Amino acid sequence: MSATARCPPLYALIDEQKQNANAGRRLTYSEHGGYPRDGLTEIVFPNVTFQALDTVLRFVYTDEAELSVSAAVDVLAAASRLEVERLVVGLENLLEQQLSVDNVSWLLQGADVAGAGTLRNKCMEYVLVHFDQVCKTPAFRDLSREIILEVLQRK
């Protein structure tokens, strides 16, 4: 069996799982490369959306990813968790170019959750440089207490 012959069942499973996306966010796939069956291995990715996982897997197979800036944070978290380093670096670079007063707070929070240190540091620098404007945004008030304390300590 060729490597490409194994890909379609995976995408078929993801499409099937997408239909049930609101039911527990579980991806079940047998360790032998087939559809889920009783008694076979279950792989669970908590807090990873099916859309983000689908984007990461499509990137692994095609070396391409099409997504919006708002979806990029979820994909970054999934890529970071799955250690798809090329996608993590590409997304960090893309998101760094999109930094603005309006989005830096939620990008900082997302980078923190995703464990994306490079993006987190760039966001933190941006917040510190533009603190007077950023602190007036609603997204800044939604940051975690730990991040707000870190911003104030570094200011």
Side-chain angles (χ1 to χ4, degrees), residues 76 92 95-96 99 107 111 116-124:
L76 177 62
E92 284 182 326
L95 292 170
E96 181 183 333
L99 287 177
L107 286 174
T118 302
L119 179 61
R120 187 186 190 285
N121 291 338
K122 294 291 185 181
C123 289
M124 185 63 74

Side-chain angles (χ1 to χ4, degrees), residues 70-82:
S70 60
V73 174
D74 286 340
V75 174
L76 177 62
S80 180
R81 173 174 272 158
L82 296 170

Side-chain angles (χ1 to χ4, degrees), residues 59 65 67-69 71-77 79-81 84-99 103 107-108 110-123:
F59 177 81
L67 52 129
S68 66
V69 172
V73 174
D74 286 340
V75 174
L76 177 62
S80 180
R81 173 174 272 158
V84 182
E85 193 62 28
R86 284 190 53 233
L87 183 55
V88 169
V89 169
L91 288 170
E92 284 182 326
N93 290 335
L94 169 76
L95 292 170
E96 181 183 333
Q97 294 171 10
Q98 304 298 318
L99 287 177
N103 71 13
L107 286 174
L108 175 58
D112 186 64
V113 169
T118 302
L119 179 61
R120 187 186 190 285
N121 291 338
K122 294 291 185 181
C123 289

Side-chain angles (χ1 to χ4, degrees), residues 2-149:
S2 71
T4 56
R6 287 189 232 168
C7 298
L10 181 59
Y11 284 122
L13 176 64
I14 290 170
D15 290 338
E16 178 183 316
Q17 293 288 333
K18 276 184 189 178
Q19 295 171 2
N20 300 320
N22 294 327
R25 296 195 184 283
R26 296 172 87 81
L27 173 67
T28 307
Y29 194 72
S30 84
E31 63 188 29
H32 304 293
Y35 289 97
R37 295 180 184 94
D38 290 338
L40 294 179
T41 303
E42 180 179 75
I43 301 170
V44 178
F45 297 103
N47 302 320
V48 173
T49 65
F50 288 106
Q51 295 78 10
L53 183 59
D54 182 56
T55 301
V56 171
L57 291 173
R58 288 184 193 277
F59 177 81
V60 167
Y61 286 112
T62 66
D63 208 31
E64 296 177 2
E66 293 183 30
L67 52 129
S68 66
V69 172
S70 60
V73 174
D74 286 340
V75 174
L76 177 62
S80 180
R81 173 174 272 158
L82 296 170
E83 299 180 4
V84 182
E85 193 62 28
R86 284 190 53 233
L87 183 55
V88 169
V89 169
L91 288 170
E92 284 182 326
N93 290 335
L94 169 76
L95 292 170
E96 181 183 333
Q97 294 171 10
Q98 304 298 318
L99 287 177
S100 71
V101 169
D102 294 324
N103 71 13
V104 70
S105 295
W106 67 265
L107 286 174
L108 175 58
Q109 186 73 46
D112 186 64
V113 169
T118 302
L119 179 61
R120 187 186 190 285
N121 291 338
K122 294 291 185 181
C123 289
M124 185 63 74
E125 289 173 20
Y126 191 97
V127 168
L128 294 172
V129 169
H130 300 93
F131 182 77
D132 292 339
Q133 296 167 302
V134 173
C135 72
K136 296 174 185 172
T137 64
F140 183 81
R141 291 185 293 271
D142 292 337
L143 283 172
S144 71
R145 177 185 168 109
E146 293 80 16
I147 293 177
I148 291 175
L149 287 174

